[in-house]
Amino acid sequence: MTDKPKNILDITGTVLNIQRYCSHDGPGTRTTVFVKGCSLRCKWCGNPESIRMKPEVSYDPNKCDGKKCSICLKAPFPEGGFYFVEGDDSKVKVNWTLAAGINQEIVSLCPTGALEMFGKTMTVGEVMDEVEKDTSIYRNTGGGMTISGGEVMLQPDFAAALLQEAHNRGINTAIETASNAPWSFLEKVLPHVDTMLHDIKLMNSERHKKWTGVSNERILANLKKAYETFPDTDFIARTPLIPGVNADDEHMLGVLEFIKPHKNVIDYELLPYHRFGLGKYDSLGVIYELDDYKTPSDEVVKRFQTMIDKAFGRELTTE
Amino acid sequence: MSTDTGQKRVAIMVGAGYIPGINAVVAGASLAAGKLGWELLGILDGFEGLLHPEKYPNGGLIPIDPQKFNIDPNTGSVLGQSSRIDPFNVRTINELGMVEEVDMSDELLTRLKAENIDAVISIVGGRGLSILYQLHKKGLNAVCVPRSIENDIASTSVAFGFNTALTFTIEMLDRARLAAKAAQKIAVVEVLGEEAGWIALQAGIAVAADAVLIPEIPVDLQHVVTHLKNKMSGKKSWGLVVVAQGAKIINPGKTEEKVSTLKASLSPLATSDSNSEFVIHKSGQVAQAVAEGLQLRIAEETFPMVIGPWVRGGTPSAVDRQLGVAYGAGAIQALEAGRNGVMVAFVPPDVKFVPLAEAINKVRTIPTGSMFFQVADSLGIYVGNKEA
Ligand code: SF4
């Protein structure tokens, strides 16, 4: 953003979607604003549509009218971007290399919605209009607004403005972040955050780089600094638990050791892995990298949960 | 640089994922270029050697001297190998320490110009072909040597790499058959073939398998069971089922997982490090599903086996060696004839130059009337399409 708008309501960001009535993204019932663009490339990512910052096309063959329609085989659709193969497969195929330059205007010519753009530019004002619809629910449940991603820290000005505006309107705020960003970005966003849910994906830096694309030194340094600089913010550490990647004692003990000295880290949550994102990879033409994984067994999750409960001085969790 | 005498400086590169025999193509191009007095250079690791020369002690661009070139097929690829070759989406860590994909196609063209390279020979298939076409539209003088293990590139009757994969698959199926016989079980062997079933069908015929499941014909497992039961009603109490990786199974049984993989369309948006011709992680899914599905419906025990990634190593077959040399030489001939933006195609008995625009967006699958189906039928191999 070069020309910064004077009014924070006019600051824009790239938003993937806004989901109401969320119950896992912070306290109470919340509206979650998913921003687009991520600064990691986790091989197990379940949200491929949120990885890249710019809006991009997706294709759902189930909705395609095929040869009866054929609209996307002609201009203004990009040459070679869409095609049919011989045989009885009546659905269009996408050449993702040649279709990459397509925009919303062109995509909207697809009559069935088989082609769709992921991601749109929205102002803080527009997002807040949506968020404010459930103010009474937030009040009754102790909920509020959460910014998730993608990575919220990729759009620090937009995120800070949105969170600030939520506070201005008396709405509780939370963010979900992997914290791979310059500290100055976190410093901009965090003053407006009541709860920060943050991932710790792997404690071993080399393995972190292998599985996510970057090493973890800056992430851990950011987290430590955040705990210390913002004592009134609640922090909740989280790990997407994947057997063969991080579902082991070493990781668990490492995380518990890391967060233990900080009283404002109020919990450590496990997110047992499920194959949520697979269909989405299909429709974006993205190759899913981690096909060989398993979901962690109930026993493993229970054992780790016991370790966490013990570390937080809690009684055993009921199932 | 091109000179008045028509001498050229040509670079050669290879697409993502290793297949045996790359050196044969390089040898062919090098000898043919040498004969014309042209210079041939190898770009290391896809386009990486040009985009990031600083990573290489030798600069990432190596001279290939026909006098000194060693055609030994056991030495791997002289061009190195890469898991990603898309210059439109190069994954980098930016100055803020964040991962992003950037378009480096302009830089690539600038680098080629700076190195006075007149044309690039690209040993690619599948998505690499589209990337090459896109680069050609931006001004790159490009010639493609088609490579495909599955032999799914249209416009050429055989792509480089297929014969080696087929040869190896047959050898392995022979072993699987003996293992099945020894164990008195049904071996379900998964072979490569995401969109085209050439390897499965041709290898299945060569070893006289009991059934061959291919992407071209969705198959109801119940029909396979009926066929197997008929074949196994006498003394024979073992079987061999060949399944292509992309086979479409109508009712796999208990396994609800999608058995076809996600490679239907490859994307520049790919998050993958291995966006080559297939992703190794996915191997085994369809074999597992079919083996389980059969076992639920039949008395005999089944066991899944996966050949998949094994075909990526080893030495090229005799056919691929000579095909590779011919394709390499053919690429130089195309440039000599003033053709670029083309793919060298083998359309027996000719070598032809097919415009890239005609080669993309087509998949060479087994046509309905193929004589391979008739052969399979006469051998008692179930391939689907009809009640057993
Ligand atoms: S325009 Fe849409 S519905 Fe029509 S062929 Fe293309 S993808 Fe299918």
Side-chain angles (χ1 to χ4, degrees):
Chain A
M1 268 166 287
T2 40
D3 298 321
K4 222 174 178 181
K6 284 193 186 83
N7 189 335
I8 71 165
L9 292 179
D10 296 331
I11 293 177
T12 56
T14 311
V15 174
L16 195 59
N17 70 331
I18 301 175
Q19 211 169 306
R20 295 164 72 185
Y21 318 120
C22 299
S23 55
H24 298 289
D25 302 334
T29 303
R30 315 187 68 85
T31 295
T32 303
V33 180
F34 291 91
V35 290
K36 193 158 154 52
C38 188
S39 60
L40 300 179
R41 294 292 181 272
C42 302
K43 293 195 179 198
W44 58 80
C45 179
N47 301 304
E49 74 281 21
S50 69
I51 290 173
R52 306 208 333 164
M53 185 84 143
K54 61 180 185 196
E56 57 195 319
V57 66
S58 78
Y59 169 59
D60 180 357
N62 296 321
K63 291 187 186 160
C64 173
D65 255 354
K67 287 182 179 150
K68 275 197 296 211
C69 167
S70 302
I71 286 177
C72 55
L73 269 74
K74 294 166 263 185
F77 285 87
E79 183 213 337
F82 303 88
Y83 63 100
F84 289 105
V85 286
E86 279 170 35
D88 58 2
D89 188 0
S90 58
K91 307 289 183 185
V92 104
K93 296 244 183 209
V94 185
N95 182 321
W96 298 98
T97 300
L98 301 177
I102 198 166
N103 60 29
Q104 175 63 51
E105 205 181 324
I106 299 174
V107 160
S108 62
L109 298 173
C110 167
T112 64
L115 299 176
E116 227 187 308
M117 286 308 271
F118 275 132
K120 61 176 174 181
T121 305
M122 287 181 85
T123 64
V124 168
E126 284 166 343
V127 175
M128 285 312 300
D129 287 348
E130 195 62 25
V131 171
E132 269 203 315
K133 285 180 183 164
D134 295 323
T135 311
S136 59
I137 297 178
Y138 310 147
R139 214 174 297 127
N140 293 337
T141 64
M145 176 190 80
T146 300
I147 309 182
S148 183
E151 174 53 60
V152 52
M153 296 301 170
L154 232 63
Q155 305 183 55
D157 294 319
F158 175 64
L162 193 55
L163 294 160
Q164 190 183 344
E165 187 55 25
H167 268 175
N168 290 345
R169 301 185 192 193
I171 296 172
N172 174 284
T173 63
I175 58 169
E176 286 182 327
T177 175
S179 310
N180 177 40
W183 169 251
S184 60
F185 289 16
L186 277 86
E187 210 174 17
K188 202 177 268 183
V189 172
L190 277 174
H192 313 292
V193 174
D194 297 314
T195 307
M196 170 162 144
L197 304 118
H198 64 79
D199 279 1
I200 301 183
K201 297 173 199 288
L202 276 155
M203 288 303 285
N204 178 302
S205 187
E206 237 173 85
R207 297 188 65 232
H208 194 282
K209 187 165 168 56
K210 159 83 185 147
W211 288 100
T212 71
V214 299
S215 54
N216 68 6
E217 283 86 5
R218 177 171 67 170
I219 293 172
L220 295 179
N222 276 345
L223 291 176
K224 192 162 178 285
K225 205 162 172 182
Y227 301 155
E228 286 162 2
T229 316
F230 298 95
D232 297 331
T233 303
D234 286 342
F235 292 88
I236 299 175
R238 287 176 145 185
T239 291
L241 210 57
I242 308 158
V245 178
N246 58 11
D248 57 60
D249 288 21
E250 197 190 328
H251 176 74
M252 299 304 300
L253 294 170
V255 174
L256 290 170
E257 184 73 26
F258 179 76
I259 60 180
K260 199 167 65 181
H262 307 281
K263 294 290 158 267
N264 50 347
V265 183
I266 59 166
D267 206 353
Y268 176 30
E269 292 181 354
L270 301 174
L271 310 172
Y273 194 66
H274 296 288
R275 338 172 55 154
F276 291 130
L278 282 185
K280 292 188 272 186
Y281 275 84
D282 245 349
S283 61
L284 278 163
V286 176
I287 300 169
Y288 199 70
E289 285 199 73
L290 190 64
D291 242 336
D292 236 3
Y293 58 84
K294 307 259 183 305
T295 324
S297 71
D298 290 348
E299 280 133 49
V300 166
V301 177
K302 220 161 127 188
R303 193 161 63 81
F304 290 158
Q305 189 59 54
T306 310
M307 285 162 77
I308 294 170
D309 288 338
K310 223 167 133 191
F312 279 86
R314 288 190 296 243
E315 291 300 309
L316 282 188
T317 334
T318 48
E319 279 169 56
Chain B
M1 182 170 19
S2 295
T3 65
D4 292 343
T5 57
Q7 286 191 348
K8 283 187 197 296
R9 199 167 141 90
V10 178
I12 185 164
M13 57 79 64
V14 63
Y18 178 71
I19 56 174
I22 298 294
N23 288 355
V25 184
V26 180
S30 145
L31 290 167
K35 193 160 170 256
L36 294 171
W38 294 4
E39 206 182 333
L40 187 73
L41 297 129
I43 306 172
L44 294 182
D45 304 337
F47 287 118
E48 202 53 20
L50 260 189
L51 290 174
H52 300 289
E54 71 284 355
K55 286 188 192 167
Y56 299 85
N58 56 6
L61 194 61
I62 53 165
I64 293 170
D65 182 345
Q67 308 298 325
K68 293 185 198 150
F69 188 72
N70 179 3
I71 198 173
D72 181 359
N74 294 309
T75 53
S77 160
V78 70
L79 301 177
Q81 49 197 299
S82 162
S83 58
R84 300 171 68 88
I85 62 147
D86 185 354
F88 296 96
N89 288 279
V90 179
R91 185 175 295 173
T92 49
I93 296 182
N94 66 19
E95 67 284 1
L96 296 172
M98 295 167 162
V99 188
E100 62 177 6
E101 282 77 23
V102 290
D103 182 351
M104 292 186 76
S105 57
D106 286 335
E107 253 154 296
L108 178 69
L109 296 177
T110 308
R111 283 280 296 127
L112 285 165
K113 215 169 166 187
E115 295 288 349
N116 293 320
I117 289 167
D118 299 298
V120 171
I121 298 170
S122 208
I123 311 166
V124 292
R127 201 183 132 229
L129 206 54
S130 293
I131 293 168
L132 196 65
Y133 176 57
Q134 190 83 322
L135 286 169
H136 171 64
K137 287 209 293 186
K138 284 192 82 165
L140 177 75
N141 291 337
V143 175
C144 165
V145 166
R147 50 164 272 182
S148 165
I149 277 180
E150 294 185 23
N151 206 17
D152 58 355
I153 301 178
S155 316
T156 184
S157 73
V158 60
F160 167 72
F162 168 67
N163 188 269
T164 305
L166 180 64
T167 308
F168 180 78
T169 302
I170 290 171
E171 196 185 318
M172 296 302 276
L173 286 178
D174 274 336
R175 293 171 187 228
R177 191 183 45 190
L178 286 175
K181 200 172 174 182
Q184 297 285 291
K185 292 180 184 177
I186 299 170
V188 177
V189 187
E190 182 177 312
V191 304
L192 287 188
E194 190 63 45
E195 295 196 69
W198 295 106
I199 289 186
L201 187 54
Q202 288 184 238
I205 286 173
V207 302
D210 295 304
V212 174
L213 315 185
I214 55 174
E216 288 89 340
I217 305 174
V219 163
D220 186 329
L221 272 196
Q222 194 52 50
H223 295 167
V224 182
V225 166
T226 311
H227 179 80
L228 286 173
K229 278 185 177 165
N230 285 342
K231 283 194 91 171
M232 294 165 74
S233 56
K235 269 196 195 155
K236 185 175 179 257
S237 55
W238 59 274
L240 176 61
V241 177
V242 180
V243 192
Q245 202 176 10
K248 296 188 180 73
I249 312 301
I250 295 168
N251 57 349
K254 219 174 68 183
T255 312
E256 290 298 318
E257 304 271 18
K258 201 172 145 190
V259 289
S260 173
T261 76
L262 300 168
K263 189 199 149 247
S265 310
L266 297 177
S267 163
L269 321 173
T271 61
S272 175
D273 282 327
S274 33
N275 58 352
S276 52
E277 291 177 337
F278 74 106
V279 175
I280 290 176
H281 302 307
K282 293 178 207 310
S283 285
Q285 290 184 9
V286 72
Q288 187 72 35
V290 170
E292 275 179 29
L294 290 177
Q295 194 163 282
L296 287 171
R297 298 170 169 96
I298 205 162
E300 280 72 17
E301 250 183 87
T302 64
F303 65 99
M305 295 176 88
V306 186
I307 294 179
W310 292 97
V311 302
R312 296 244 155 205
T315 52
S317 67
V319 171
D320 266 342
R321 274 185 80 165
Q322 65 91 18
L323 196 61
V325 172
Y327 268 137
I332 295 291
Q333 281 165 15
L335 291 169
E336 191 192 5
R339 302 289 304 273
N340 84 76
V342 292
M343 180 181 89
V344 187
F346 181 48
V347 187
D350 299 318
V351 168
K352 293 191 168 164
F353 307 132
V354 182
L356 288 176
E358 283 174 28
I360 58 162
N361 290 351
K362 293 190 182 99
V363 181
R364 185 177 175 278
T365 52
I366 309 174
T368 320
S370 167
M371 65 91 179
F372 283 120
F373 288 129
Q374 293 161 29
V375 173
D377 198 45
S378 62
L379 294 172
I381 301 172
Y382 180 76
V383 190
N385 220 11
K386 53 193 182 296
E387 296 277 331

